[in-house]
Each structure stands twice: as C-alpha cells, then as structure tokens.
C-alpha cells in the first residue's frame, strides 16, 4: 500500500482548533502510552480546520513527527512542513472494514 504520499495544501487556510499534544494510545492493558517512532521519538497530534477559498472546510487531525514547540493556540493560522497522507484500511472489533486517509507532517509553523 502507498504510504507517505506528499500533499500540497498551499491553497488551504489551516487554523488550529486543538493545540498540539503528545499522541497517545492504549496499550494491551488499557493504559495510555505515548506513540513513538522506531527510534523512540514521541509523536504529536494537532487538530486543524482546513478550508479552501469558497469551500466549506473540514477539520483534520495531523500527526507531527516532532514536538512543534510552544505558542500554537486555538485560532492560530499555520502551515504544515512536508505534509503527507497515508491511506489505511483495517477490520475493527465488530468485523467491519474501516478505511480512510491519515494526515501527517514533519512539523508545524506559524503562518506569516
């Protein structure tokens, strides 16, 4: 399956709707643990409202490869560094197939 497909979001206005936080998941015992890459570096996640001029817009969650640092708050306009998408498909606990695309980026920077 194709992974990490580069995506050009330059025609979109990206506004923070939830400030970046460390990405967490539940382990086999149901405890919250940090999501890391193969080298052990923590991943972060940010929620953005993506809107093209004249379009309706949509909220997206983006996994960031590194800590974007302080200063990103609700309402800030931002750019994604090296934005990409990866398609996914899996069977959930009820046997249903769940498919979609996951957004990720190397980082986040203030617009302007």
């Amino acid at each position: 399956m194709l992974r990490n497909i580069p995506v050009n979001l330059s025609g979109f206005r990206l506004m923070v709707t939830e400030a970046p936080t460390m990405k967490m998941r539940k382990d086999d015992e149901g405890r919250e643990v940090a999501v890391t890459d193969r080298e052990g570096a923590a991943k972060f996640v940010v929620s953005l409202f993506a809107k093209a001029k004249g379009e309706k817009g949509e909220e997206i969650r983006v996994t960031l490869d590194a800590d974007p640092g302080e200063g990103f708050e609700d309402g800030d306009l931002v750019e994604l560094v090296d934005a990409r998408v990866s398609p996914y498909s899996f069977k959930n606990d009820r046997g249903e197939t769940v498919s979609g695309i996951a957004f990720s980026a190397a980082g986040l920077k203030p617009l302007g």
Side-chain angles (χ1 to χ4, degrees):
M1 178 178 291
L2 287 174
R3 304 222 28 100
N4 295 320
I5 303 163
V7 61
N8 181 351
L9 296 172
S10 64
F12 287 81
R13 184 174 173 227
L14 303 174
M15 183 175 66
V16 174
T17 56
E18 285 182 37
T21 59
M22 191 174 292
K23 187 169 185 175
M24 305 296 282
R25 68 171 178 82
K26 292 199 184 294
D27 67 8
D28 293 336
E29 283 91 47
R31 295 179 301 221
E32 291 277 317
V33 295
V35 175
T36 60
D37 65 13
R38 288 189 174 106
E39 286 80 42
K43 299 278 190 165
F44 286 74
V45 66
V46 64
S47 292
L48 304 173
F49 187 75
K51 183 181 183 319
K53 189 169 185 127
E55 300 289 323
K56 202 169 184 171
E58 183 172 334
E59 189 170 43
I60 60 173
R61 287 181 57 81
V62 181
T63 298
L64 304 172
D65 295 341
D67 184 350
E70 297 294 317
F72 294 101
E73 297 178 10
D74 192 10
D76 288 350
L77 296 179
V78 296
E79 282 182 56
L80 293 172
V81 178
D82 294 330
R84 53 202 188 271
V85 295
S86 294
Y88 64 84
S89 184
F90 63 91
K91 291 218 185 276
N92 66 14
D93 295 342
R94 296 183 296 248
E96 303 162 327
T97 300
V98 178
S99 301
I101 58 170
F103 286 88
S104 59
L108 187 67
K109 65 182 187 179
L111 189 63

